[in-house]
Every structure is written in C-alpha cells, then in structure tokens.
Amino acid sequence: MEKLMAFVEIPAADFDRAVNFYRQVLNLELKTVEGKLEKMAFFPGGEGAISCSPGFNPSPDGVLVSLNAGKDMDAVLGRVTAHGGKIEKGKTKIEGEGMGYFALFIDSEGNKIGLYQA
C-alpha cells in the first residue's frame, strides 16, 4: 500500500497570519494559491496545506495532525511561542524504545497541532 495519508488541510481564520506562523515556526516556504472563496498555502512536500475558506474553521478539538520537527524540537517549540502560538504539551518521550518524542501546540489560529521528532 502507498502512504495512507493523501493530504492534510489545516484551517485558518486569518490566512496571512497563519501562513506567516508556519513559515516562521517550521523555517520553510509555502506556495500560496488564492481563488475567489478559498486560499491555500502548500507545504513543500505536497502532503498538505494551510487552508482558508468559508465554513472551514480552526479548532483544538478535531483530528490531530503531527508535523515533523526535524532534529531540534526545542528550537521549533521556541519559535511557536515567539510567533504567537502556545505550547500545550512540551517535548515528551513516547513510551516504547526508540519511538522518539512528541509535543502539542496551539497555532496562531487556535488549532491543536502535534510535533514529532524521531
């Protein structure tokens, strides 16, 4: 089977604020596309986007998406707070040998997002 997750969209109430938040926190460029009713900023690997459209509202209570923090989760978490996000659960070792670490934060739009570090 190919990868199970085809595409993930993270809702944004304020598109420019959300795009800036993810650009700064993850140190990456996002390609933006704007239509009449929808705006999207695509992650470089094509696996997802920040999306702003009517009826697609940020929430901390939906599906949890975890993003790869690379090799320095502490630096990523520092950028979360520096750019208006909030840490919900700091870097935590995943139970089970060699499973890595996770953390949870609330982004600039109010979504709960996970971070993963191998």
Side-chain angles (χ1 to χ4, degrees), residues 18-68:
V19 170
N20 183 59
F21 178 84
Y22 282 97
R23 281 182 174 155
Q24 297 299 321
V25 168
L26 298 175
N27 283 331
L28 50 83
E29 284 303 313
L30 301 171
K31 179 183 175 190
T32 60
V33 175
E34 297 188 29
K36 287 183 179 181
L37 296 176
E38 184 175 36
K39 299 177 185 178
M40 297 182 87
F42 294 90
F43 293 117
E47 65 274 44
I50 308 304
S51 182
C52 185
S53 63
F56 191 47
N57 302 311
S59 170
D61 300 321
V63 173
L64 180 63
V65 174
S66 291
L67 304 174
N68 189 339

Side-chain angles (χ1 to χ4, degrees), residues 43-115:
F43 293 117
E47 65 274 44
I50 308 304
S51 182
C52 185
S53 63
F56 191 47
N57 302 311
S59 170
D61 300 321
V63 173
L64 180 63
V65 174
S66 291
L67 304 174
N68 189 339
K71 296 181 183 206
D72 192 353
M73 182 182 287
D74 295 322
V76 174
L77 290 170
R79 292 191 298 266
V80 165
T81 56
H83 294 283
K86 296 177 186 157
I87 306 303
E88 181 153 301
K89 183 169 187 73
K91 184 176 179 181
T92 304
K93 186 176 183 338
I94 297 171
E95 293 182 14
E97 191 61 35
M99 296 295 291
Y101 298 86
F102 79 97
L104 300 172
F105 67 90
I106 304 298
D107 73 3
S108 63
E109 305 306 292
N111 296 298
K112 184 187 300 183
I113 303 291
L115 286 174

